Amino acid sequence: MWSYTLRRVLAAIPTMLVVITVCYLLLHATPGGPFDSERKVSAAVLANLQAKYHLDLPMWQQYLLYLKSLLHGDLGASFRYADWSVNDLVASALPVSATIGGGSLLLSVFIGVALGIVAALRQNSVADHLVMLIGNVGSAVPSFVLGPVLIIVFAILFKWLPAGGWNDFEPRYMVLPMALLTFINVSTIGRVMRGSLIEVMHSNFIRTARAKGLPTRVVVLRHALKPALLPVVSLLGPLAISSITSALVTETVFSLPGLGKLIVNGAGNRDYTLVLGLVVLITVLTVALNLLVDLAYAWLDPKIRY
């Protein structure tokens, strides 16, 4: 297990290097620059700005300087946010996205697994059809439609919750964005858990457990739950990344100062260092979460060995 973990960590280094290199080349290959705007500046001011951020150097030198800064944990200075480094911007936005995304993911796992178990044990019942309806709605209706619907119902009609904003982690501002992400994730987890548990319940070792006279609760919780969770665990890595870093629509609809807003602003403003810093963050999170998912397989299924 430890040797496998070490190999995966070492293999992540060239992966991250390739991702950073490709993103760096794409950003610099697009026309325009971070200081191109409607208000024109003099040539002297533009030269000073380019010298400050090393944009006057050849691209390969800029790339090596950026890699050197990354090795020291420095994501660089933002081109568009004066007196702000990318580290500071990420540090202020990451807790917002992590709270909304992480909280919704935890709720999604508990609710989705529970609904999937109920639907699998009661096939073709009302509960089963309800779970499938939730799954189809969550998968078919995009988040930019569900978000405004939640605002119209709970913020405008009933006036129970604020329509958006962020008031220093006040719980009532988190309810609607977390509800949106939870509903979307539950629709995926519930369907996958249902199908996986149905397949496991028809396995030979489950028939043997039932033949011994064990009650259904013991059969499900002690024998069927762990192998049925394997497909769900494989989803947790991508779902965690999408919930924390890729909820661009959610953060835009509810006006949240999270990573999604930084990604949109950085791409629109051609803020090279900000976009690259977010790419590095997303890549590290993806590699770490995928590693944790792979290691969780060995705990859920004793037949798996690394």
Side-chain angles (χ1 to χ4, degrees):
M1 181 75 73
W2 290 108
S3 61
Y4 173 79
T5 305
L6 181 60
R7 290 198 305 270
R8 285 292 301 271
V9 172
L10 294 178
I13 297 176
T15 301
M16 293 182 58
L17 185 61
V18 169
V19 172
I20 294 171
T21 303
V22 171
C23 184
Y24 189 92
L25 294 176
L26 289 176
L27 284 173
H28 285 75
T30 54
F35 303 112
D36 295 339
S37 60
E38 295 181 359
R39 191 177 64 136
K40 299 297 182 180
V41 297
S42 63
V45 173
L46 182 60
N48 291 332
L49 288 174
Q50 291 179 341
K52 177 182 178 181
Y53 295 104
H54 307 292
L55 296 178
D56 56 338
L57 299 176
M59 185 181 297
W60 65 271
Q61 291 186 9
Q62 299 180 43
Y63 177 71
L64 293 179
L65 288 174
Y66 184 75
L67 291 182
K68 181 180 178 181
S69 300
L70 284 182
L71 293 177
H72 292 85
D74 183 12
L75 298 177
S78 173
F79 291 159
R80 304 292 292 184
Y81 294 90
D83 301 326
W84 282 78
S85 66
V86 177
N87 295 59
D88 295 333
L89 293 172
V90 171
S92 63
L94 182 59
V96 178
S97 297
T99 301
I100 299 298
S104 64
L105 185 62
L106 290 177
L107 291 174
S108 303
V109 171
F110 286 108
I111 298 174
V113 169
L115 292 178
I117 293 174
V118 172
L121 297 180
R122 300 181 180 180
Q123 269 188 278
N124 300 321
S125 65
V126 176
D128 186 17
H129 293 313
L130 179 61
V131 172
M132 294 306 297
L133 177 62
I134 294 175
N136 292 331
V137 172
S139 301
V141 182
S143 57
F144 60 83
V145 174
L146 292 175
V149 169
L150 292 177
I151 293 175
I152 292 173
V153 174
F154 295 100
I156 298 177
L157 294 181
F158 296 107
K159 302 184 184 302
W160 291 345
L161 297 168
W166 186 259
N167 190 20
D168 196 18
F169 295 93
E170 188 173 344
R172 65 194 190 98
Y173 286 88
M174 305 182 193
V175 174
L176 288 183
M178 288 182 64
L180 175 59
L181 290 178
T182 300
F183 182 79
I184 295 174
N185 291 335
V186 164
S187 66
T188 302
I189 295 175
R191 286 185 295 109
V192 172
M193 184 64 191
R194 174 188 178 274
S196 177
L197 186 57
I198 289 175
E199 181 179 358
V200 172
M201 293 299 289
H202 288 85
S203 301
N204 292 330
F205 70 94
I206 296 297
R207 294 193 186 97
T208 303
R210 284 178 167 174
K212 292 180 179 180
L214 297 177
T216 303
R217 176 178 57 85
V218 176
V219 172
V220 173
L221 296 180
R222 185 174 298 179
H223 299 282
L225 186 59
K226 280 189 176 182
L229 282 174
L230 286 174
V232 176
V233 171
S234 65
L235 286 174
L236 293 183
L239 286 180
I241 296 299
S242 63
S243 297
I244 296 175
T245 60
S246 300
L248 303 179
V249 176
T250 303
E251 295 185 1
T252 302
V253 169
F254 296 103
S255 301
L256 302 179
L259 294 178
K261 181 179 179 180
L262 285 184
I263 294 175
V264 173
N265 292 341
N269 295 329
R270 300 292 308 281
D271 197 338
Y272 298 151
T273 52
L274 179 57
V275 174
L276 286 172
L278 294 174
V279 169
V280 171
L281 175 64
I282 294 172
T283 305
V284 170
L285 289 175
T286 303
V287 171
L289 290 173
N290 287 334
L291 175 60
L292 293 177
V293 166
D294 290 343
L295 296 179
Y297 283 153
W299 177 73
L300 291 172
D301 191 350
K303 294 183 296 183
I304 297 178
R305 291 293 179 267
Y306 295 102

